[in-house]
Amino acid sequence: MSVTAEDFTFIADFLRRQSAISIAEGKEYLVESRLAPVARAAGMADVSELIGQLRKPSADPRVREQVVEAMTTNETSFFRDRHPFDALQTDIIPKLIEHKANGTKTINIWSAASSTGQEIYSIAMLLDAHFPELATWNVQLYGTDLSNDVLAKARSGRYSTLEVNRGLPAPMLARYFSREGADYVLDERIRHRCRFDRMNLAEAWPLLPTFDIVFCRNVLIYFDLEVRRSILDRIRQRLPEGGYLFLGTSETTVGLAEGYTATRCGNAVAYCVEGS
């Protein structure tokens, strides 16, 4: 049975309440395809029965969580949209090293929608391969996401052949991964440099450090306008003067948040925090 208009409206409102994610009209097919596996796993006949259970005040909290996680887009890959990583290597990291070499020798980087970990692990491998001097620095790499399932996968550092073939350069595959059965497992030394925690960007934030670089790519587009503004403002509060924010190619701070200046870094655009 396909998702009815009434069921779609309920799911759209449910997602907005639970996660602030906005789902556009006409996406009934997406609800059906994403929630059918959840319904089957819960022993229900179809998505309509699943939605019927969600309507009840006594609905299983775990099922509610699974629905939100299933409707969350977790598309990612190693070195996705390569330009921001090139900008880190050729421009931003060298500047940070020069600026902090006689000071704190601390660099904090946050992947704010880390999904299954490829983004922050790409950064970790890049730093290890091209900036050996950072081995004696305090480099903190954080990944956060709404979904516990994808965070568990990220922490495992285990990826399929298809996943490592999406964007990961062959020399890095050979250097940093070992084959275990049908999968590839990231070197423990790199995995331990990255910390993953659950976080809903649209809700209250936990205590966070100040970050030099924030990647928040291809996630703002799923939120309503006011939620986007709130997220950008709160990221701004965690970035010092001269800090960098990377957004997706279809995302911008323009007209949404003050204190950012779009800066060309090679073929990438970063939003640099202005001084007060």
Side-chain angles (χ1 to χ4, degrees):
M1 179 184 295
S2 61
V3 174
T4 66
E6 183 181 2
D7 283 346
F8 178 81
T9 298
F10 172 81
I11 285 294
D13 290 341
F14 174 82
L15 288 173
R16 191 173 292 109
R17 292 193 310 270
Q18 296 292 319
S19 64
I21 293 172
S22 179
I23 181 170
E25 293 182 4
K27 294 296 181 84
E28 288 84 357
Y29 70 92
L30 185 64
V31 172
E32 179 74 32
S33 63
R34 295 282 181 87
L35 296 189
V38 178
R40 287 195 297 270
M44 300 178 190
D46 53 30
V47 172
S48 292
E49 183 179 349
L50 173 64
I51 294 173
Q53 290 297 316
L54 289 177
R55 293 178 184 273
K56 298 178 180 179
S58 60
D60 186 340
R62 177 55 186 161
V63 173
R64 289 176 177 268
E65 183 178 321
Q66 288 171 342
V67 167
V68 173
E69 291 188 355
M71 293 303 300
T72 302
T73 301
N74 292 306
E75 171 65 20
T76 189
S77 61
F78 288 102
F79 295 95
R80 183 182 184 187
D81 305 325
R82 178 79 203 201
H83 299 315
F85 299 97
D86 291 339
L88 291 185
Q89 181 180 338
T90 62
D91 184 15
I92 295 173
I93 297 300
K95 285 181 179 177
L96 286 175
I97 291 175
E98 180 180 7
H99 177 65
K100 297 191 173 194
N102 296 319
T104 62
K105 291 189 176 181
T106 296
I107 295 177
N108 291 333
I109 303 176
W110 177 24
S111 172
S114 59
S115 187
T116 45
Q118 287 95 318
E119 183 171 78
I120 199 67
Y121 283 145
S122 295
I123 295 171
M125 289 184 286
L126 183 151
L127 297 182
D128 186 80
H130 298 286
F131 301 97
E133 63 268 44
L134 292 180
T136 60
W137 286 44
N138 181 19
V139 179
Q140 300 294 324
L141 304 175
Y142 296 86
T144 62
D145 200 275
L146 176 65
S147 170
N148 284 312
D149 289 343
V150 300
L151 289 171
K153 179 176 174 62
R155 293 186 188 104
S156 76
R158 180 180 291 270
Y159 299 97
S160 67
T161 300
L162 176 62
E163 288 169 320
V164 298
N165 284 339
R166 294 188 63 203
L168 183 64
M172 284 198 167
L173 176 61
R175 180 172 180 177
Y176 294 112
F177 287 81
S178 58
R179 189 73 181 264
E180 291 189 8
D183 296 331
Y184 291 84
V185 179
L186 182 61
D187 188 283
E188 185 177 10
R189 181 174 60 87
I190 300 298
R191 280 191 285 124
H192 283 178
R193 292 181 180 179
C194 302
R195 170 181 169 179
F196 294 95
D197 290 306
R198 186 181 186 278
M199 178 176 170
N200 186 337
L201 292 172
E203 294 180 352
W205 288 14
L207 183 64
L208 295 171
T210 297
F211 295 101
D212 300 287
I213 303 164
V214 175
F215 276 59
C216 187
R217 301 192 297 159
N218 306 304
V219 63
L220 294 181
I221 54 176
Y222 297 105
F223 294 117
D224 292 335
L225 186 62
E226 288 307 311
V227 177
R228 295 181 204 175
R229 286 175 172 153
S230 174
I231 291 170
L232 288 171
D233 284 341
R234 285 188 282 178
I235 290 175
R236 169 64 186 85
Q237 294 169 22
R238 305 315 312 154
L239 283 168
E241 179 181 347
Y244 296 87
L245 168 64
F246 284 97
L247 298 175
T249 55
S250 63
E251 298 167 326
T252 182
T253 66
V254 177
L256 294 175
E258 301 294 331
Y260 294 98
T261 299
T263 305
R264 175 67 64 176
C265 299
N267 291 318
V269 173
Y271 295 87
C272 196
V273 171
E274 303 169 348
S276 57

